[in-house]
Amino acid sequence: MANPGRQHEEVSKEEYASANLVMIAMVKTSKALRIYLPNNPILIGFTDDLNGKMTGHLDQYGEFPLDVEPFVLRYKGKDIYQNQDPKESMACRMYADGIRALFFLPGVESSELMAFVGVAGFELGTSDEDVVTQLWERDLPHLRYLLEEDFIEGHLEVDLTEPGSQQAAVTRVYQALAQQIPPQPRMIPKHLLMLTGEEEKWLRKARQVEARRNGLDDVVNILSAILAGVKEPVIFWDFVGIMGNLTTNMFLAGEIGQALRLIRFMDQLMKLGSTLPEQQKFLAEALAGILDLQTVQVLQETLDGSEAVTHQELKELLHIFGLPSLGAICELLGRVEKLKVRKVIIEVLVELGRENPAVFAPFLNDSRWYLVRNMVLVLSLVGTPVALDMIIKLIPHKEARIRREVLGYLERSGDLKAKAYIVKYLRDDSSALRIKALQVLAREKLPFALKPIAALTTAEEFANRELPEKKAVYEALGELGGEEMLPMFRDMLLKKFWFQKAAEKESAQLAAAGLVRMQTGQALALLQEARNSKRSGEVRDLLEQAIAALALARAKRSGNAGEV
């Protein structure tokens, strides 16, 4: 090692800054090792950064020494790392296993740095060995360390808890080691009481288990045991309240897994035959109070932002909450963005409301259109007459997106009673919904729709409608009216429009659209007759196109394209 026999000189700002960068890179790499696989580009980037900074520091300053204290690492007497959490602190783990000083020497390789970080980082690996043993097993030639026993064997009586004493002690140990003759091996008397290998291994394992114990698990286990055994109503209610508050706090802290564990326990206890009715009431009230706006928000963020809660766990959770928490479940549905999660919530709502769809009635008046739309979907899946009656009341809803959802349900429904309500959309404020309703009525050939559709053509406002909507009306008339509509179409095609070419063209377009949908020989003959009456111009070309389209449609229907 460089300069082993003297105390460290004053550290320059540049050297300390370089050492600090090395330490930061070491901590980042340690944390990355816990998260990423060895071939992950992010971990590789952190590894390369640590290697580069350490190599640069060693090339310039000769070595990288660290003094190890319970929660602090010092570089040549200056604090460079501090972490008070025993489970996370590199310093704490090394100090607990007896390491008091570390030295990284020039020539250290990336593999040696990763081996050290992997051991000192606390999370990597499942070995029962301590830090010293693991470092020794990895045979790191460019890493040196001094243990507490080195200070004792060097016969240096120093108080290592006194500030500044450790650095001086390290220097004196170097001096003593350089001057000492290696001691002869000492034989350990057999009569001394020693732990066997198995006993030592058991003790180490017990210590690690104790260090990793989760206090929250202990609290949950104690509460569960008390709640399962207490019979006095007042005491039972007190502990149910504690359990409910703890569950809510677990939600707010993002510990959804722990919250689900508590909820399962209360649900199972409530369903036990030995649980008294009064106790069941207490448990039900506690469960009903867990989901509120705050916990719903946390649950939504967890569901949208991670996979911490599986779809099966979510389904189980919502079933436990059930109808008493229906409002909160609907609120969750309105907030969640992931489609698969929304599907799970909708499935649960359908199951909860199948026996009594009226429970959803309050949510149909919600000001948020997307929540109302989701309720329409839920009611459509329930599919009972009561659900249908609730849905059709939304046909005049002010929000077009809700009306569209209702129309979609009526279109999908196999109930003829439901289909009859599609006619109401012929007077909808939205042109797109009116056209959609016309297309559905025509495609499904619903005869009761013929008269309402024909009445549209005589309404005063019809003349002001856009051409696509007018075409949809006449196509529906052609589909539904059949040959009954031929006289009207003949009049539209052969009528003289003196000095009104635009009106003549539109009349011909609409009539042709209806005739093409009829797909009959009489329709084809009427189109040909009208074409022959036109010598030239746009109307004749329009009729030629209609004749070709109708002939092709008839040929496809008969399966003989050679007739075209």
Side-chain angles (χ1 to χ4, degrees):
M1 296 182 191
N3 301 325
R6 63 181 179 82
Q7 294 191 16
H8 292 299
E9 300 173 356
E10 182 67 23
V11 182
S12 67
K13 291 182 179 180
E14 292 78 10
E15 182 178 354
Y16 179 73
S18 173
N20 192 49
L21 291 176
V22 173
M23 195 69 239
I24 291 172
M26 194 176 292
V27 172
K28 286 182 178 179
T29 306
S30 172
K31 292 180 178 179
L33 275 172
R34 309 175 190 181
I35 302 173
Y36 302 110
L37 294 174
N39 62 349
N40 188 280
I42 296 177
L43 177 58
I44 293 172
F46 282 130
T47 304
D48 293 343
D49 182 57
L50 171 59
N51 189 49
K53 285 184 169 56
M54 178 65 85
T55 301
H57 183 90
L58 295 176
D59 288 345
Q60 187 166 1
Y61 300 107
E63 67 177 6
F64 187 82
L66 292 174
D67 296 334
V68 183
E69 298 193 9
F71 299 102
V72 178
L73 298 178
R74 288 193 172 92
Y75 178 85
K76 297 184 177 181
K78 286 194 171 187
D79 290 4
I80 198 173
Y81 170 89
Q82 185 170 3
N83 189 333
Q84 298 294 325
D85 185 351
K87 294 184 178 180
E88 296 290 331
S89 176
M90 281 189 193
C92 182
R93 188 175 187 220
M94 291 189 289
Y95 189 89
D97 285 344
I99 295 177
R100 296 296 179 264
L102 286 169
F103 301 87
F104 293 89
L105 305 181
V108 66
E109 297 180 358
S110 177
S111 58
E112 294 179 76
L113 292 174
M114 291 303 293
F116 168 75
V117 171
V119 172
F122 192 71
E123 291 289 333
L124 187 65
T126 56
S127 174
D128 290 332
E129 302 293 345
D130 59 19
V131 174
V132 176
T133 304
Q134 292 185 63
L135 292 177
W136 178 79
E137 288 175 346
R138 283 159 175 75
D139 188 22
L140 309 177
H142 297 91
L143 174 65
R144 298 286 187 269
Y145 47 85
L146 293 176
L147 306 179
E148 184 174 15
E149 61 195 50
D150 293 328
F151 291 84
I152 298 171
E153 291 178 1
H155 305 290
L156 297 171
E157 298 297 331
V158 293
D159 182 4
L160 296 181
T161 63
E162 205 174 292
S165 64
Q166 182 167 306
Q167 183 58 55
V170 171
T171 301
R172 292 198 295 274
V173 168
Y174 270 128
Q175 295 171 344
L177 289 176
Q179 297 171 4
Q180 269 189 351
I181 299 173
Q184 294 295 322
R186 292 178 297 170
M187 299 299 295
I188 300 175
K190 293 183 179 181
H191 67 275
L192 292 180
L193 179 62
M194 299 180 63
L195 294 176
T196 66
E198 287 297 318
E199 290 171 334
E200 182 183 6
K201 185 176 180 181
W202 181 88
L203 281 175
R204 291 187 186 279
K205 197 168 186 178
R207 187 184 67 176
Q208 291 177 352
V209 170
E210 182 65 26
R212 292 172 178 154
R213 282 184 66 180
N214 187 332
L216 180 60
D217 287 336
D218 292 339
V219 172
V220 171
N221 291 335
I222 293 169
L223 271 178
S224 301
I226 293 173
L227 205 56
V230 70
K231 297 300 180 183
E232 178 64 35
V234 175
I235 300 176
F236 186 87
W237 169 244
D238 287 342
F239 278 98
V240 167
I242 294 171
M243 183 76 83
N245 290 334
L246 179 60
T247 306
T248 300
N249 289 332
M250 290 301 97
F251 261 110
L252 297 179
E255 296 284 348
I256 309 296
Q258 289 283 13
L260 180 57
R261 177 185 169 191
L262 292 167
I263 291 166
R264 280 195 189 112
F265 172 77
M266 286 191 284
D267 180 61
Q268 292 167 358
L269 183 59
M270 185 171 61
K271 294 175 180 176
L272 282 178
S274 58
T275 303
L276 301 175
E278 187 177 14
Q279 294 175 326
Q280 292 175 350
K281 180 184 176 183
F282 290 158
L283 290 166
E285 290 176 359
L287 287 170
I290 293 171
L291 275 190
D292 57 19
L293 290 179
Q294 285 184 301
T295 51
V296 163
Q297 179 68 22
V298 173
L299 184 55
Q300 174 263 314
E301 292 171 355
T302 302
L303 293 170
D304 281 335
S306 71
E307 303 296 330
V309 180
T310 68
H311 292 171
Q312 186 57 41
E313 287 175 334
L314 174 61
K315 195 169 186 178
E316 177 190 6
L317 182 68
L318 298 182
H319 271 299
I320 291 173
F321 286 130
L323 286 175
S325 298
L326 184 64
I329 298 174
C330 291
E331 180 70 27
L332 179 64
L333 176 61
R335 296 189 181 196
V336 168
E337 296 180 2
K338 282 187 178 178
L339 291 178
K340 290 184 178 179
V341 176
R342 287 168 57 188
K343 182 180 178 183
V344 172
I345 300 173
I346 287 172
E347 288 175 358
V348 173
L349 288 172
V350 170
E351 293 171 17
L352 293 177
R354 194 178 299 280
E355 297 298 324
N356 182 20
V359 296
F360 298 115
F363 306 103
L364 297 180
N365 297 320
D366 198 281
S367 59
R368 292 164 295 181
W369 68 268
Y370 52 87
L371 181 56
V372 179
R373 184 189 63 183
N374 288 332
M375 290 300 99
V376 172
L377 178 57
V378 170
L379 288 169
S380 69
L381 294 172
V382 170
T384 63
V386 174
L388 172 61
D389 291 340
M390 294 172 67
I391 290 175
I392 60 177
K393 290 178 181 178
L394 296 172
I395 291 176
H397 198 280
K398 64 181 180 180
E399 175 55 57
R401 286 169 287 196
I402 293 174
R403 301 199 302 273
R404 185 188 304 121
E405 187 69 34
V406 175
L407 178 58
Y409 161 68
L410 297 176
E411 179 184 5
R412 297 188 301 270
S413 176
D415 187 348
L416 191 59
K417 178 184 176 183
K419 301 290 187 186
Y421 288 100
I422 298 177
V423 174
K424 290 182 175 291
Y425 280 88
L426 299 178
R427 303 287 181 179
D428 195 90
D429 292 337
S430 167
S431 175
L433 292 181
R434 292 195 297 266
I435 292 173
K436 176 68 174 178
L438 287 164
Q439 292 170 342
V440 173
L441 293 169
R443 184 178 63 249
E444 301 198 13
K445 294 184 169 23
L446 300 172
F448 57 78
L450 179 59
K451 286 185 178 181
I453 295 174
L456 292 176
T457 63
T458 61
E460 291 183 7
E461 72 273 10
F462 185 73
N464 299 321
R465 297 284 170 87
E466 297 292 333
L467 182 60
E469 184 176 349
K470 291 179 181 179
K471 285 185 67 176
V473 169
Y474 281 93
E475 286 172 348
L477 290 175
E479 288 270 13
L480 299 174
E483 295 182 4
E484 180 183 339
M485 306 306 298
L486 285 173
M488 183 180 72
F489 291 148
R490 175 182 292 277
D491 182 60
M492 293 173 66
L493 287 172
L494 301 179
K495 180 182 177 181
K496 299 296 183 180
F497 291 84
W498 301 106
F499 309 109
Q500 295 180 347
K501 288 187 176 181
E504 180 183 7
K505 179 182 177 182
E506 181 179 285
S507 180
Q509 281 181 299
L510 299 178
L515 290 167
V516 169
R517 289 301 182 94
M518 287 175 62
Q519 296 187 12
T520 64
Q522 293 90 332
L524 180 60
L526 179 55
L527 285 170
Q528 291 170 339
E529 179 186 350
R531 176 199 59 188
N532 294 336
S533 68
K534 310 290 182 182
R535 295 182 179 180
S536 61
E538 287 184 279
V539 174
R540 182 182 176 88
D541 293 341
L542 186 152
L543 293 172
E544 288 282 7
Q545 294 172 9
I547 290 170
L550 178 53
L552 180 60
R554 283 169 54 79
K556 286 182 177 179
R557 189 173 64 178
S558 63
N560 183 10
E563 292 181 6
V564 178

